[in-house]
Amino acid sequence: MSDYIVEMDSIFKTFPGVNALDNVSFNLRAGEVMALLGENGAGKSTLMKVLCGVYQRDSGTVKIFGTPVENLDPTQAQGMGVAMIHQELNMCTHLTVAQNIFLGREITRGGRLDERAMRQRAREILARLNIEIDPDTVLGDISVSKQQMVEIAKALSANAKILVMDEPTSALTAKEIDDLFAIIRKLRAEGCGIVYISHRLDELKHIVDRVTIMRDGHFITRTNFADTSMDQIISNMVGREITEKFPHVQCERGAKILTVRNLNAGKMVRHIDLDLYAGEIVALAGLMGAGRTEITRAIFGIDPKDGGEITLDGKVIQINRPEDSIRHGVVLVPEDRKKDGLCTRLSIRENIALPNLDIICDRTGVVNRRREREMVTKTVESLSVKLSGPEMNAGNLSGGNQQKVVVGKWLARTSRVVIFDEPTRGIDVAAKVEIYHLMNDLKRQGIGVLYVSSEMPEVLGMADRILVVCEGRITGELTATEATQEKILELAVRFESKLERGVA
């Protein structure tokens, strides 16, 4: 009898114009963490959705706990002990933690919901995972990290023995990641088989036993993590050697492009002063919740300002809404690309054209199809977007290619400042390097680049200057040569440290 709890052999799956899985094999043992790695679009999530019954395979065999399964659907997969925690959490934020854990599997008594029993059972499951959350708390009132813990508790409440985690740490702080890893180790010790999908390769050494690598819908290799190196993993993922993770380029600093003075907006943007010059990349660093995203939203005009002045190329400009910002050439690539950056039900062509209608329309307001075609073709080719065609639905693109479309729609127009908010979150190592090269190209062109990143190596590797944010204020500025992780963290907790010492 096989010691594998999951066996997938010769799996094929196609979508219109895309061969998503081509003769892929995969296996998983009880009590192990298997990393499933590959670039965006490699087929990782598709393969796991076949395992979870979300997608029907075109051909191939699937065995779960040694039992062959045909026409697998999500209910059947769940009944066999398979659960998947998706990258974008799909939960009911208006319901309580307990209600979310038992959603679709509610405990009833006498034909009525037994809220007391669900609360008690939820409390037991959370305690098993050492998660301190009140089951009566409304889910929307807790952090994303804790919502993710609730999703794990939900899977365990259904007696999941095979747990798929798709980019589980993309929105977590270092402390929250440590908490998640503790839970993963506990589940592994209890015999749960875990599939771990992540682009944060530095995490693997803490929890992973084996590695399966995919590329362009194909199985590439499978090995023990201890028997391979990070360079080999990356090379297998991308099909080539990546010689430089952070391709920083040195440019002569030019004229001042953007000046922000005494910017205030709500509780998380307080007295912000910053300057941005041509030929440099400036990073906003800090802990999660420090106010970095809020600063970018206030500059771009999404959130109303309580005061302050913005100067572009020496002229004071008024930005009261995003349209004002776009008109002046100050654009934002948002943190949540699906929610704020893309119309996922529209085509790639429509997404690129939509914010640029003022450029591609003629005097009568009719879209000039030739201009539109040229704009879309240039954008797709310059950013190497992987797609079957410009009419492909943007929601069907991989995360990295979606990010490229979000960036590309702004580069199609003449922008003076490009603000990136977590531009590499949830994309693979090769796509990250492409984004870095894009930022460098903007820098060479004299376009101001301001970006938010929670990845410290990325900040240290790409920024010319670093502005550290804590409690909605800029607490310090560091050049690339003087910046260290320790100095950034010291500035990132400056106000919190004062509070701990009782200093006002």
Side-chain angles (χ1 to χ4, degrees):
M1 182 178 174
S2 171
D3 63 343
Y4 297 122
I5 58 176
V6 173
E7 296 174 85
M8 305 178 76
D9 292 305
S10 303
I11 303 297
F12 287 82
K13 178 64 181 177
T14 59
F15 297 103
V18 179
N19 198 12
L21 299 173
D22 189 346
N23 195 28
V24 176
S25 66
F26 179 84
N27 57 50
L28 177 70
R29 297 188 181 101
E32 79 165 350
V33 178
M34 169 72 85
L36 181 56
L37 307 176
E39 294 186 82
N40 290 104
K44 310 181 296 295
S45 295
T46 301
L47 182 67
M48 290 299 101
K49 286 178 180 178
V50 169
L51 175 63
C52 296
V54 177
Y55 292 153
Q56 294 294 314
R57 63 190 184 275
D58 297 335
S59 61
T61 62
V62 177
K63 292 182 181 179
I64 300 176
F65 293 106
T67 302
V69 290
E70 298 292 339
N71 302 317
L72 189 67
D73 61 39
T75 302
Q76 183 184 0
Q78 187 182 80
M80 297 186 77
V82 182
M84 183 170 182
I85 300 172
H86 297 272
Q87 184 174 356
E88 285 88 17
L89 297 179
N90 188 20
M91 306 179 78
C92 297
T93 54
H94 65 288
L95 298 180
T96 68
V97 168
Q99 289 167 340
N100 270 278
I101 288 175
F102 291 98
L103 192 63
R105 299 175 296 101
E106 289 81 2
I107 300 174
T108 58
R109 187 176 184 180
R112 295 185 176 184
L113 288 178
D114 192 338
E115 297 276 5
R116 183 176 179 179
M118 287 192 290
R119 281 196 300 271
Q120 181 57 33
R121 180 69 182 126
R123 192 172 285 110
E124 292 170 359
I125 296 168
L126 293 168
R128 172 187 166 191
L129 297 173
N130 297 320
I131 300 172
E132 295 182 4
I133 304 175
D134 186 341
D136 287 325
T137 303
V138 174
L139 191 76
D141 293 339
I142 62 178
S143 66
V144 172
S145 62
K146 288 189 175 180
Q147 289 181 22
Q148 201 161 47
M149 304 302 182
V150 172
E151 188 86 334
I152 295 173
K154 179 178 179 179
L156 296 183
S157 73
N159 297 315
K161 293 297 182 183
I162 299 164
L163 188 59
V164 180
M165 296 183 173
D166 192 353
E167 295 290 347
T169 63
S170 61
L172 304 189
T173 65
K175 171 64 169 62
E176 291 165 343
I177 291 172
D178 287 341
D179 293 341
L180 176 64
F181 287 172
I183 290 174
I184 289 174
R185 294 187 193 100
K186 183 177 179 63
L187 295 175
R188 177 173 60 185
E190 293 175 358
C192 185
I194 298 171
V195 183
Y196 190 84
I197 301 174
S198 179
H199 291 124
R200 294 184 168 183
L201 301 183
D202 57 319
E203 297 174 348
L204 305 184
K205 62 181 178 288
H206 299 291
I207 51 170
V208 167
D209 301 297
R210 290 195 296 152
V211 175
T212 295
I213 298 176
M214 297 178 63
R215 185 170 69 241
D216 297 328
H218 295 82
F219 167 81
I220 299 301
T221 188
R222 183 184 302 116
T223 184
N224 292 325
F225 180 74
D227 297 334
T228 189
S229 68
M230 200 57 66
D231 288 341
Q232 288 173 318
I233 288 174
I234 293 172
S235 180
N236 280 317
M237 284 172 59
V238 304
R240 64 188 187 280
E241 185 179 358
I242 293 182
T243 57
E244 192 174 8
K245 288 179 67 177
F246 303 109
H248 183 269
V249 298
Q250 197 67 40
C251 296
E252 184 177 345
R253 192 164 89 166
K256 187 184 294 185
I257 300 175
L258 182 74
T259 300
V260 176
R261 290 290 179 267
N262 200 30
L263 178 66
N264 289 273
K267 296 181 179 179
M268 292 306 297
V269 181
R270 306 180 188 181
H271 311 296
I272 298 300
D273 292 338
L274 66 84
D275 298 307
L276 187 61
Y277 293 81
E280 70 169 358
I281 296 173
V282 174
L284 289 176
L287 303 178
M288 195 167 292
R292 297 165 302 165
T293 292
E294 287 81 359
I295 291 172
T296 66
R297 288 171 59 91
I299 293 173
F300 189 58
I302 297 173
D303 297 335
K305 301 173 182 61
D306 299 325
E309 183 178 85
I310 298 176
T311 303
L312 182 69
D313 292 323
K315 296 181 180 178
V316 176
I317 59 173
Q318 296 297 322
I319 298 179
N320 298 314
R321 54 184 184 168
E323 293 94 320
D324 300 331
S325 190
I326 295 167
R327 188 177 67 254
H328 287 298
V330 180
V331 298
L332 172 67
V333 179
E335 178 182 12
D336 190 332
R337 57 178 172 264
K338 284 191 173 181
K339 177 175 174 286
D340 301 320
L342 280 176
C343 297
T344 54
R345 296 187 179 182
L346 297 183
S347 69
I348 295 162
R349 172 185 60 80
E350 290 167 320
N351 270 278
I352 294 172
L354 195 58
N356 296 302
L357 293 176
D358 57 327
I359 299 174
I360 61 177
C361 287
D362 60 25
R363 294 178 180 177
T364 63
V366 177
V367 173
N368 184 311
R369 295 299 177 188
R370 180 184 59 80
R371 288 182 202 162
E372 180 188 55
R373 205 162 40 245
E374 290 174 351
M375 175 182 288
V376 172
T377 300
K378 182 179 178 182
T379 300
V380 168
E381 290 179 352
S382 64
L383 296 179
S384 301
V385 182
K386 295 179 182 179
L387 71 168
S388 58
E391 297 305 316
M392 180 180 179
N393 192 307
N396 292 333
L397 289 172
S398 66
N401 285 300
Q402 286 181 347
Q403 187 71 295
K404 291 179 184 179
V405 172
V406 176
V407 174
K409 71 182 183 182
W410 294 132
L411 300 186
R413 61 191 304 120
T414 305
S415 299
R416 293 293 293 131
V417 175
V418 180
I419 304 171
F420 294 89
D421 191 357
E422 301 286 2
T424 62
R425 173 170 290 169
I427 64 176
D428 61 71
V429 62
K432 285 182 179 181
V433 173
E434 290 181 7
I435 295 295
Y436 301 148
H437 282 305
L438 170 62
M439 293 166 68
N440 285 334
D441 287 342
L442 297 176
K443 177 177 168 180
R444 291 189 188 98
Q445 295 170 35
I447 295 171
V449 178
L450 179 69
Y451 84 108
V452 173
S453 176
S454 296
E455 296 193 29
M456 196 70 73
E458 180 177 282
V459 169
L460 294 170
M462 290 302 299
D464 297 290
R465 281 192 298 128
I466 300 164
L467 304 177
V468 185
V469 181
C470 177
E471 302 263 334
R473 298 180 176 92
I474 293 177
T475 54
E477 177 179 325
L478 299 167
T479 64
T481 54
E482 65 185 0
T484 64
Q485 184 165 330
E486 290 74 21
K487 288 181 180 180
I488 292 173
L489 289 175
E490 180 184 347
L491 292 168
V493 297
R494 173 161 288 184
F495 290 127
E496 289 154 342
S497 298
K498 285 185 177 181
L499 289 174
E500 288 173 5
R501 297 195 308 267
V503 180

